[in-house]
Amino acid sequence: MKYYRCELHTHTTSSDGKMTPEELVDRALACGYDAIALTDHNTTAGVKRAVEEGRRRGLTVIPGIEWTTFWGHFAVTGGKSDVLWRDITPENVGEKIKRAQTLGDIVTIAHPRRMGYPLCSGCHCDYDIESISGADCYEVWSHYYPNEGVAARQQKEQWLSLLAEGHRLSVVYGYDWHNRDDVPPSYACTYVGSEGKDADSILRGVKSGATYISIGVEVECKAVSGGREYAIGSEIASEETEIELSCFRSEDYRSDKPTKLTRAEIVTELGKESFPIAFGEKIKAKATFERFCVVCIYGERKREEQLLAITGAFYRGGNG
Amino acid sequence: MATLFDRVCVLTKKDQSTHRKLYFEVPEGAKKLHISVRYEPKYNYDEEYGLDLIERSMLKQAGEPLMTRGEMRAALPLDNHLSFSLDSPSGAAGTAHRGNNVQNFTICEDSADGGFYPCRIEQGVWTFVISVTCIITDKIEVAVKIEAEA
Ligand SMILES: [Zn+2]
Ligand SMILES: [Zn+2]
């Protein structure tokens, strides 16, 4: 399995984006992505052009749409579902998510804690969180300056509390790409562990939970338990689990690069514990958890300690 | 060119987060639809109202300040946002979710713009839907004109 650089939340001139589908593909290649998903607001009108251009230029383009409802947004990828955004209400949202999943799509809760009405109406998630917790992914980071500010903190807290309640949500970053940014201001990237870089393999990787989000850091992380190795997103049966972790500088990262790493933090429903870590160094740490275990990487960037990467969860479950 | 629909629709704050459906009949032999929409006003220039609404909404949504006073001021003036959808007699024909208050669309079998899908301009009752994403003025007047080309 290899981790691919993906951006699963983008827009074009088919909604309120500034780039045509062809320009989006061009910029995505220039930014070093292996795969993107096109998720225009409430329309798939640009998908065919983007997929064709991607095929011509060597970029995987995953068909998608952003359900842009009055009470919250969802990036829905796969291009298979027949759910009409206008039919989604606070009463039936859980069923609509399930319908899209049954037909083969992946549903991501998009920028749930971003400011909504009256600035970006519908951008803030007003749905009862329990009713949408069956989604596949959660955008813990979003848009510009993704790891800074109140919304990023609240999203991380909400995602962790959903995991603690036993929900399984892959971690993703959503650039929510609308503009023709040459170097996006302080952008991040979703890395997806997958057997291949075609759309179906990437989506399977996302669904399996094998993702991490990062700013300038490439992460190798696995769990070792009962003599077996587990990828991010796996269920682990045994109580004895060791996390193996190495971090490297991302060659593709351009602006405000992290200067050094400071620590890795293992977060579970029981609490958190930090370990010193440096670029290129391999660390091993015991993890004790009943529900989930997530790794957060911190480092120095913009002259302060910042959260630079978050892995998807390892879950307790299965029978080994 | 035959005019199929030409009306002004008035929305008020009660219409926030609702869909207003407008029906029109497409005659036999039509090949292309031209839709033009214009809504006024786009902006609310009342600074005090804007700052107060942002602050109250922010505290309600986040429970803590998301923005500084300066960032709130930079977000002014507040603007109305509507999105538009089209349903043919056979089903959904796309949505235009865009910021501007003057929008023109052309839809036919081999092409369509602005978020709509290319589709056959079939005879029968079509629906044009105004979705009220954000209304921050007492009312919005939406002028919708739909014409058919044979
Ligand atoms: Zn959105
Ligand atoms: Zn978006």
Side-chain angles (χ1 to χ4, degrees), chain A residues 9 11 41 66-68 73-74 110-111 114 120 122-123 176 178:
Chain A
H9 187 160
H11 297 276
H41 298 289
E66 183 173 11
W67 294 346
T68 305
H73 295 184
F74 299 90
H111 49 69
R114 187 186 291 176
C120 180
C123 289
D176 204 353
H178 283 78

Side-chain angles (χ1 to χ4, degrees), chain A:
Chain A
M1 185 167 75
K2 190 182 155 199
Y3 278 82
Y4 293 93
R5 285 171 61 80
C6 302
E7 177 41 61
L8 303 171
H9 187 160
T10 70
H11 297 276
T12 67
T13 46
S14 285
S15 62
D16 57 358
K18 299 287 181 288
M19 294 176 282
T20 63
E22 291 79 13
E23 286 168 331
L24 173 68
V25 167
D26 185 65
R27 296 310 311 148
L29 283 165
C31 288
Y33 292 112
D34 296 304
I36 61 167
L38 175 56
T39 54
D40 269 313
H41 298 289
N42 297 331
T43 183
T44 55
V47 163
K48 193 161 167 268
R49 276 170 63 186
V51 169
E52 275 168 13
E53 182 70 359
R55 197 169 289 144
R56 209 173 65 74
R57 304 273 315 267
L59 176 78
T60 299
V61 178
I62 300 167
I65 190 167
E66 183 173 11
W67 294 346
T68 305
T69 78
F70 300 136
W71 309 279
H73 295 184
F74 299 90
V76 180
T77 47
K80 301 200 174 68
S81 101
D82 58 1
V83 174
L84 182 62
W85 73 278
R86 277 185 279 129
D87 294 340
I88 303 169
T89 65
E91 289 70 39
N92 68 16
V93 63
E95 291 159 40
K96 297 294 180 190
I97 290 171
K98 193 159 270 168
R99 166 88 191 157
Q101 292 169 324
T102 304
L103 292 170
D105 278 351
I106 285 184
V107 180
T108 297
I109 301 170
H111 49 69
R113 308 297 295 181
R114 187 186 291 176
M115 175 80 179
Y117 175 86
L119 296 182
C120 180
S121 297
C123 289
H124 180 270
C125 179
D126 296 325
Y127 291 108
D128 170 28
I129 190 69
E130 199 55 40
S131 69
I132 60 169
S133 57
D136 300 289
C137 312
Y138 188 109
E139 265 183 19
V140 173
W141 286 351
S142 167
H143 210 43
Y144 300 149
Y145 310 105
N147 62 343
E148 300 169 38
V150 175
R153 170 170 52 75
Q154 291 189 346
Q155 282 160 189
K156 184 181 160 211
E157 283 166 5
Q158 186 169 54
W159 174 64
L160 290 173
S161 75
L162 286 164
L163 298 183
E165 285 164 19
H167 300 293
R168 297 192 172 187
L169 290 148
S170 307
V171 66
V172 290
Y173 158 68
Y175 180 4
D176 204 353
W177 199 354
H178 283 78
N179 298 315
R180 201 177 276 119
D181 309 314
D182 284 336
V183 178
S186 296
Y187 67 122
C189 183
T190 304
Y191 287 79
V192 179
S194 163
E195 295 304 333
K197 77 162 197 168
D198 58 289
D200 286 345
S201 301
I202 296 284
L203 289 173
R204 263 198 304 278
V206 172
K207 185 116 187 158
S208 79
T211 63
Y212 67 90
I213 59 177
S214 154
I215 294 178
V217 181
E218 287 182 17
V219 178
E220 282 179 16
C221 179
K222 63 186 178 201
V224 180
S225 180
R228 280 183 56 183
E229 292 187 351
Y230 295 88
I232 298 168
S234 305
E235 279 191 341
I236 300 169
S238 155
E239 278 181 35
E240 294 287 307
T241 301
E242 196 170 54
I243 303 292
E244 288 188 15
L245 177 72
S246 317
C247 298
F248 306 90
R249 290 174 201 277
S250 165
E251 298 294 328
D252 284 318
Y253 201 75
R254 289 155 215 215
S255 62
D256 296 315
K257 295 185 191 212
T259 48
K260 63 171 189 180
L261 298 183
T262 50
R263 63 196 168 95
E265 183 183 65
I266 294 189
V267 184
T268 73
E269 78 284 358
L270 303 169
K272 47 195 182 185
E273 198 179 347
S274 285
F275 305 87
I277 189 170
F279 277 121
E281 180 196 14
K282 186 169 187 172
I283 66 163
K284 294 182 181 188
K286 284 236 174 323
T288 308
F289 59 97
E290 282 304 317
R291 284 269 163 84
F292 78 94
C293 167
V294 157
V295 182
C296 296
I297 316 288
Y298 291 83
E300 214 171 78
R301 180 168 174 265
K302 298 186 183 175
R303 295 166 188 230
E304 58 177 19
E305 188 187 61
Q306 287 194 352
L307 175 58
L308 297 177
I310 307 174
T311 72
F314 297 96
Y315 301 100
R316 170 57 52 78
N319 39 33

Side-chain angles (χ1 to χ4, degrees), chain B residues 118-137:
Chain B
C119 60
R120 196 167 67 78
I121 309 305
E122 25 175 337
Q123 181 187 3
V125 177
W126 289 56
T127 316
F128 184 78
V129 187
I130 303 172
S131 300
V132 188
T133 311
C134 184
I135 173 164
I136 41 75
T137 51

Side-chain angles (χ1 to χ4, degrees), chain B residues 6-139:
Chain B
D6 189 5
R7 278 217 308 260
V8 175
C9 174
V10 180
L11 305 167
T12 69
K13 282 185 177 157
K14 281 197 208 110
D15 295 303
Q16 171 67 44
S17 305
T18 64
H19 306 284
R20 176 77 62 95
K21 292 185 173 180
L22 311 174
Y23 301 94
F24 63 98
E25 179 119 25
V26 171
E28 198 185 348
K31 291 275 187 305
K32 218 177 232 190
L33 287 182
H34 296 281
I35 302 177
S36 57
V37 191
R38 179 187 193 97
Y39 61 92
E40 299 286 353
K42 175 66 180 166
Y43 296 101
N44 183 334
Y45 292 100
D46 184 337
E47 211 169 277
E48 204 176 319
Y49 168 81
L51 289 173
D52 178 62
L53 187 60
I54 295 172
E55 184 153 36
R56 277 188 296 117
S57 307
M58 175 177 79
L59 292 176
K60 189 170 153 213
Q61 289 165 32
E64 59 185 303
L66 285 172
M67 310 166 80
T68 63
R69 198 81 181 162
E71 286 168 333
M72 284 161 56
R73 215 171 272 282
L76 298 178
L78 295 181
D79 64 335
N80 291 319
H81 192 292
L82 304 178
S83 75
F84 307 106
S85 303
L86 192 61
D87 292 347
S88 80
S90 330
T95 293
H97 181 97
R98 328 169 70 76
N100 27 336
N101 65 324
V102 180
Q103 300 181 30
N104 295 291
F105 311 106
T106 303
I107 295 115
C108 63
E109 192 156 9
D110 354 278
S111 70
D113 48 15
F116 295 106
Y117 305 137
C119 60
R120 196 167 67 78
I121 309 305
E122 25 175 337
Q123 181 187 3
V125 177
W126 289 56
T127 316
F128 184 78
V129 187
I130 303 172
S131 300
V132 188
T133 311
C134 184
I135 173 164
I136 41 75
T137 51
D138 289 335
K139 64 172 186 174

